[in-house]
Amino acid sequence: MLKVGITGGIGSGKSTVAHIFETLGIPVYYADDAAKKLMNGDERLKQQVQQLFGDAAYTDGQLNRPFVAEQVFNNPEKLTMLNAIVHPATIADAEKWMQQQTAPYAIKEAALIFESGAQENLDKVIGVFAPKGIRIKRVMERDGITRDEVMLRMNKQINETIKMRLCNYVITNNEQELLIPQVLAVHQALLALQNA
Ligand code: ATP
């Protein structure tokens, strides 16, 4: 079975594209949701997070998300340290999940694939590309936040053009080109690879 990643910048439409693959019967692992669950459920990871941020990181056994977010927001070193414990745990969990799938291929959707080294466990990576202006508008509407707040998040991610060059397939989600035919073309290409 092929292991495939889907990545792209904030608001590019990764989840939207992943949902279309799901309608084709392809199982999808959503790394962000999984990481949140692991931070509440994986005892080893919980201990590591607690070591990094202190007891205030958890309230009644549940991650105190606003506290942790505040700790890392303007502290790149702390964010790097947090990623250094969360990413390997999520990569290992995704790997375990992949082993259990029986479809021709399975997808891992994650914003940070190349940044976390997750591509080493994947056979192919699909990039979802959307122009910056559209991504800003989408995230402002989806999350009810200001343009400046979106820009702050966006500026922490690596350049979109560079990221797309690292991908094996690119799906353009610019509200002009249709998504479903592009997803179908990649789906067919992956099925052909799997059968080769
Ligand atoms: P993030 O990295 O922030 O999780 P994402 O890349 O997963 O974002 P989505 O959540 O799929 O992006 O899309 C961002 C928002 O834009 C969502 O509200 C989604 O419904 C909307 N959106 C995405 N693609 C389209 C499209 N082609 N047409 C209209 N709305 C879209």
Side-chain angles (χ1 to χ4, degrees), residues 9-16 109 138 142 173 175 179:
I10 176 170
S12 59
K14 295 177 294 296
S15 308
T16 305
E109 186 256 28
R138 283 182 188 151
R142 187 193 59 190
N173 185 21
E175 292 169 24
L179 274 183

Side-chain angles (χ1 to χ4, degrees), residues 7-19 32 109 111 128 134-135 137-139 141-143 153 157 173-177 179:
T7 195
I10 176 170
S12 59
K14 295 177 294 296
S15 308
T16 305
V17 168
H19 287 312
D32 220 36
E109 186 256 28
V128 180
I134 290 183
R135 291 163 55 211
K137 175 187 75 110
R138 283 182 188 151
V139 179
E141 280 169 16
R142 187 193 59 190
D143 298 349
R153 288 195 207 168
Q157 300 189 334
N173 185 21
N174 58 3
E175 292 169 24
Q176 287 176 19
E177 279 149 89
L179 274 183

Side-chain angles (χ1 to χ4, degrees), residues 30 69 99 113 123 127 136 157:
Y30 293 90
Q99 307 290 346
I113 283 189
D123 299 299
I136 294 171
Q157 300 189 334

Side-chain angles (χ1 to χ4, degrees), residues 106-139:
I107 289 178
K108 175 182 180 182
E109 186 256 28
L112 307 177
I113 283 189
F114 299 107
E115 296 89 334
S116 65
Q119 83 280 6
E120 284 170 23
N121 290 308
L122 298 167
D123 299 299
K124 297 286 173 195
V125 179
I126 302 164
V128 180
F129 178 80
K132 202 169 180 180
I134 290 183
R135 291 163 55 211
I136 294 171
K137 175 187 75 110
R138 283 182 188 151
V139 179

